[in-house]
Amino acid sequence: MGIIEKNNYGLVGKNISYSFSESYFEEKFKKLGLEGYSYRNFDLSQIEEFTPLIQENKHIKGLNVTIPYKEAVIPYLDRLNKKAKKIGAVNTIKFTKKGLKGYNTDIYGFKKSIKPFLTKNHTKALILGTGGASKAVAFVFGELGIKFKFVSRRPKKNQLLYTDLNEKIMKEYTVLVNCTPLGTFPNIEEKPNIPYQWITDAHLLFDLIYNPEKSAFLREGENQGAAICNGLRMLELQAEKAWKIWNS
Ligand SMILES: NC(=O)c1ccc[n+]([C@@H]2O[C@H](COP(=O)([O-])OP(=O)(O)OC[C@H]3O[C@@H](n4cnc5c(N)ncnc54)[C@H](OP(=O)(O)O)[C@@H]3O)[C@@H](O)[C@H]2O)c1
């Protein structure tokens, strides 16, 4: 007879067959010798499918949440931890006796992965894109005392348009973070439309994308002499933090 799986985990999102998390956690369960543990993708075509999902899967202990439900899932939760509440995005859910509690571990992952690259000259940052991940990035810059501006195709108050990025701004803002999906496999030649010619060795370019390892955005930065970092470590760190939360 097979092992009865009593410790179920999974990822909620849309079109997530590419997911890193499933193989990452399955590998982890193997390494730790955990029997009766499983991690699977729950591909929802709309967030309303969330309630039947948890009613039908009684052994779920924890979930990760990805695009496009990091914000939409919040009304389905009983509680939020402080940081998730502040930024309004959840990527980790813990099933507790008191109900479902939402967390955001992108904050932890981004902070820990960018920190080793920051120097005292990195005092201002441009955040490219204004989606769910950009909120975690902005939160971390707030914690680190780094001033930031969002760059958007449709800027709101105090945000910049891509065409606003002139030489002066590019010299002043030496940390550039790509929080758009531009450059993700298979569209690997795409990149944010910024004036790369003004990037120097004083800059740090961080891309949340991890596939490909070196995006067109990072390649441009590297060619200009900038320090670069992709999103792989961030991804691993946020997964590790989720695992800790589920087991605390
Ligand atoms: N490494 C990690 O651990 C990690 C964690 C989270 C997310 N990510 C990655 O980070 C990226 C963003 O995630 P997200 O959840 O924030 O996605 P999202 O909510 O879809 O937001 C992406 C933002 O990018 C901008 N954008 C989208 N399409 C664009 C285009 N064609 N041209 C220019 N800008 C565009 C938009 O901002 P405007 O409308 O304001 O221009 C949009 O709000 C994804 O690639 C995701 O895989 C990585």
Side-chain angles (χ1 to χ4, degrees):
M1 202 172 79
I3 295 156
I4 299 166
E5 286 174 350
K6 285 251 163 108
N7 293 287
N8 296 350
Y9 299 88
L11 176 68
V12 171
K14 195 173 187 171
N15 304 327
I16 47 175
S17 54
Y18 65 85
S19 155
F20 147 96
S21 304
E22 188 175 30
S23 48
Y24 183 82
F25 280 106
E26 288 292 352
E27 190 62 30
K28 186 175 188 69
F29 300 152
K30 241 190 245 161
K31 257 192 224 156
L32 294 176
L34 293 173
E35 293 190 350
Y37 279 66
S38 73
Y39 190 103
R40 54 180 278 219
N41 287 339
F42 296 107
D43 216 308
L44 309 186
S45 58
Q46 47 185 21
I47 193 62
E48 287 73 21
E49 293 166 20
F50 185 78
T51 304
L53 160 77
I54 56 172
Q55 281 168 350
E56 284 160 23
N57 294 276
K58 298 280 183 223
H59 295 303
I60 295 181
K61 298 282 193 297
L63 290 171
N64 289 125
V65 184
T66 189
I67 302 175
Y69 301 130
K70 286 185 185 183
E71 293 161 69
V73 77
I74 291 177
Y76 294 84
L77 307 178
D78 300 295
R79 285 179 304 149
L80 291 183
N81 104 319
K82 241 195 231 159
K83 289 182 181 181
K85 191 169 187 178
K86 201 155 179 192
I87 70 167
V90 160
N91 78 330
T92 300
I93 301 170
K94 180 174 179 174
F95 286 53
T96 73
K97 284 191 184 117
K98 288 194 231 156
L100 273 54
K101 185 168 179 184
Y103 296 82
N104 189 303
T105 69
D106 285 338
I107 296 172
Y108 170 83
F110 179 68
K111 189 174 186 180
K112 207 158 176 193
S113 57
I114 196 168
K115 252 184 146 178
F117 291 89
L118 292 171
T119 69
K120 62 178 185 347
N121 301 320
H122 293 134
T123 55
K124 289 187 176 180
L126 293 177
I127 302 173
L128 312 177
T130 59
S134 76
K135 292 181 177 176
V137 168
F139 184 87
V140 169
F141 285 145
E143 284 188 332
L144 294 173
I146 293 175
K147 295 199 178 90
F148 60 87
K149 279 222 180 276
F150 287 100
V151 185
S152 171
R153 292 166 301 173
R154 285 176 292 274
K156 298 194 189 83
K157 208 175 160 219
N158 289 326
Q159 297 182 345
L160 298 169
L161 204 57
Y162 285 89
T163 48
D164 290 333
L165 301 180
N166 55 26
E167 187 171 2
K168 181 175 177 293
I169 292 176
M170 292 297 286
K171 276 200 169 144
E172 200 178 326
Y173 289 81
T174 51
V175 183
L176 309 177
V177 185
N178 180 26
C179 298
T180 79
L182 292 173
T184 306
F185 182 85
N187 303 315
I188 60 170
E189 290 311 321
E190 291 183 353
K191 55 182 185 272
N193 185 19
I194 62 170
Y196 291 94
Q197 71 271 22
W198 290 316
I199 291 172
T200 67
D201 59 5
H203 284 80
L204 164 63
L205 272 67
F206 193 107
D207 202 332
L208 262 52
I209 291 170
Y210 47 88
N211 181 16
E213 209 175 300
K214 203 182 279 177
S215 62
F217 169 74
L218 293 184
R219 269 189 278 129
E220 291 278 359
E222 192 177 47
N223 288 343
Q224 297 290 121
I228 59 168
C229 181
N230 71 16
L232 184 60
R233 186 82 191 108
M234 172 178 172
L235 193 71
E236 291 167 353
L237 286 163
Q238 64 77 26
E240 280 309 305
K241 184 75 173 176
W243 179 242
K244 270 202 186 125
I245 288 169
W246 294 332
N247 288 291
S248 63

